């Protein structure tokens, strides 16, 4: 059974930083693409970033390019999302999602991901 567990959310002031973690179990990690999505109240779920564990290829939404960095620790089956220069508009519940990397052709689209974590709240105060 695939399990994805997020951690690292919290409350931070604008301009601050947070690092989210997504620990995966029940998967062959190198076969997976792991993405981060976020959903703010009243808004649709948005693809933020994605990484392929096998070759490290990445995707970033335009809204976070230059501020967020996705990375993996393959020895720990964990994906990180380092978020710097946070803005109030980054406030949302952040979810990690995963699926076999050859099935993820649209890393920004939640429909390409079959396994999801429970989410972690990120709140950025102005």
């Amino acid at each position: 059974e695939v399990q994805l567990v997020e951690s690292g959310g919290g409350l931070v002031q604008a301009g601050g930083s947070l690092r989210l973690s997504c620990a995966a179990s029940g998967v062959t990690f190198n076969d997976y693409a792991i993405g981060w999505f976020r959903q703010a109240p009243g808004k649709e779920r948005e693809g933020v970033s994605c990484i392929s564990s096998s070759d490290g290829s990445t995707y970033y939404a335009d809204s976070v390019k230059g501020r967020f960095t996705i990375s993996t620790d393959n020895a720990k089956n964990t994906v990180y999302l380092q978020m710097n220069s946070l803005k109030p508009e980054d406030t949302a519940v952040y979810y990690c999602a995963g699926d076999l990397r050859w099935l993820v052709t649209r890393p920004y689209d939640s429909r390409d991901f079959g396994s999801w974590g429970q989410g972690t709240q990120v709140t950025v105060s102005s």
Side-chain angles (χ1 to χ4, degrees), residues 11-92:
L11 172 65
V12 65
Q13 289 188 330
S17 298
L18 283 174
R19 188 178 79 158
L20 305 183
S21 300
C22 174
S25 60
V27 303
T28 302
F29 198 63
N30 280 349
D31 287 343
Y32 260 63
I34 302 292
W36 285 97
F37 291 78
R38 65 187 181 186
Q39 189 164 20
K43 295 189 176 181
E44 291 188 358
R45 191 166 294 190
E46 173 191 15
V48 174
S49 186
C50 183
I51 190 165
S52 175
S53 301
S54 62
D55 62 6
S57 57
T58 58
Y59 159 82
Y60 293 98
D62 287 344
S63 57
V64 306
K65 279 181 183 176
R67 300 189 298 123
F68 291 10
T69 303
I70 193 169
S71 62
T72 66
D73 184 335
N74 286 11
K76 296 182 178 180
N77 282 14
T78 298
V79 172
Y80 303 100
L81 186 69
Q82 178 67 44
M83 305 186 297
N84 298 330
S85 302
L86 283 161
K87 305 175 181 180
E89 52 263 43
D90 294 318
T91 295

